[in-house]
Structure formats: structure tokens, C-alpha cells
Amino acid sequence: MITLEKFTTEDFDRFISWIGTEEELVQFAGPIFTYPLTREQLYRYQQSVGKQPFRVRLTATGEVIGHCELNFENYLPRLSRILIGDREMRNRGLGKLIVRELVNRLFSTTIHDMVDLNVYDWNANAIAAYTRLGFRVNPEKEKTVQVGNATWRAYNMILKKADWQPEKIFA
């Protein structure tokens, strides 16, 4: 249904077109970029050691509809920057497929037995989906970020390989 492919400079303009506001950029990317997003920022990002960014392609149509990343910069690998950029493709379960592909790739090609991610507390749909897949909130790593005049709280969620339930993707 989806394929993850290496993120390249050919993806930059499409990627930038998906980010319309500072809030969207922070929701998707956290603090690593500044708004407005530029090709220079994406080039530095693409060259980062420890990050494996991917474009997300619909297998049936060949259309690139999103972005995601495996991040190995910390002791624990992280799923990062998951975005369905094409707004018409959102709320169709594709985010769950992206998580499945990233976690399967991580657990089948590395020795890691845990992975984490960060999600804002107001993103109830994502939190529910991650919980169904076996992720659990790690209360010790909660943090806040200032976005405009608002303060957003981020949860850190951890998945142990033993708790990974890819069959529950659409449960």
C-alpha cells in the first residue's frame, strides 16, 4: 500500500509546499526547522548523520503523499517527522501504515528492541493509534514548547519490540 524511499533533493519543493504555517512545521518537525522552511534547511537535514528520512509513496498510484524519518541520534531510535503532506490523503489510516513500515524496518534490520516517538497531547487521534500499536507514554520525558502564544505539551511514547502488534494497525 505504501513504500518508503530515500528522501532526496528532488523532494524539497514538494515538501516545502506541504508546510503552510509555523504551527504546522512545529507539529510535524518539532524544533529542528524554522519557519518559513527553506531548501537550505532541508539540505542540512538531509545530510544529518543519524537521521534516515524517507518520502512516502502510494504503491498503487506512485504518488508521493508524505514524509517520515528514523532517527538514530540518541541511545534509543526514534520515529520522527511523520507527515501526510497531501491533505486529501489524511484520515485514511496511512499514518498507521507509515508507523508499521518504520517499526518493521527498525526491528527487522537492527538490533534495537525499543523505539520512541514524541506527540503533542492535543493530537488525540495519533495518541490513540500509537497506544493501539503498543506504544506507552513515558511520563518522565514529557516536555513543553512555545508555539506563538500557545504552550504545547509533548508526550514521549515508547514501544518495546515484545509489545509490537502490527496486526492491530486497523483494529
Side-chain angles (χ1 to χ4, degrees):
M1 187 132 170
I2 63 165
T3 304
L4 303 184
E5 302 170 346
K6 184 177 180 178
F7 180 70
T8 70
T9 55
E10 296 171 11
D11 299 305
F12 287 7
D13 291 336
R14 178 188 325 97
F15 187 91
I16 290 169
S17 75
W18 289 337
I19 307 297
T21 67
E22 179 181 10
E23 290 79 11
E24 288 176 345
L25 184 61
V26 173
Q27 177 186 356
F28 155 70
I32 74 163
F33 299 125
T34 57
Y35 187 81
L37 188 58
T38 63
R39 291 179 63 82
E40 292 77 24
Q41 289 180 73
L42 290 176
Y43 181 76
R44 285 191 303 273
Y45 165 68
Q46 179 193 35
Q47 300 303 312
S48 297
V49 175
K51 288 180 173 56
Q52 293 181 6
F54 302 97
R55 65 177 161 235
V56 179
R57 185 179 301 277
L58 284 179
T59 308
T61 66
E63 178 185 7
V64 176
I65 52 96
H67 181 87
C68 61
E69 173 193 313
L70 277 174
N71 185 320
F72 294 94
E73 293 179 323
N74 297 309
Y75 74 97
L76 187 62
R78 175 167 289 163
L79 307 185
S80 298
R81 288 164 260 299
I82 299 170
L83 173 68
I84 305 297
D86 181 340
R87 294 183 194 298
E88 292 186 17
M89 300 305 291
R90 293 180 183 171
N91 300 313
R92 295 184 181 192
L94 294 169
K96 294 175 193 172
L97 291 177
I98 293 170
V99 170
R100 182 183 71 186
E101 291 300 315
L102 288 171
V103 173
N104 282 342
R105 183 176 294 229
L106 175 74
F107 287 158
S108 68
T109 64
T110 73
I111 61 169
H112 296 285
D113 62 355
M114 288 193 338
V115 63
D116 78 349
L117 56 79
N118 290 320
V119 60
Y120 291 108
D121 67 345
W122 48 261
N123 196 343
N125 289 341
I127 293 168
Y130 298 145
T131 300
R132 280 193 303 274
L133 296 172
F135 283 86
R136 299 293 173 252
V137 172
N138 178 3
E140 297 173 15
K141 292 184 83 177
E142 190 175 299
K143 60 184 175 183
T144 60
V145 63
Q146 196 68 31
V147 181
N149 293 326
T151 301
W152 293 0
R153 184 172 55 176
Y155 293 139
N156 177 262
M157 298 183 78
I158 294 177
L159 172 68
K160 296 178 182 175
K161 188 174 186 177
D163 295 332
W164 175 228
Q165 301 178 26
E167 68 279 0
K168 289 194 173 183
I169 292 293
F170 293 103

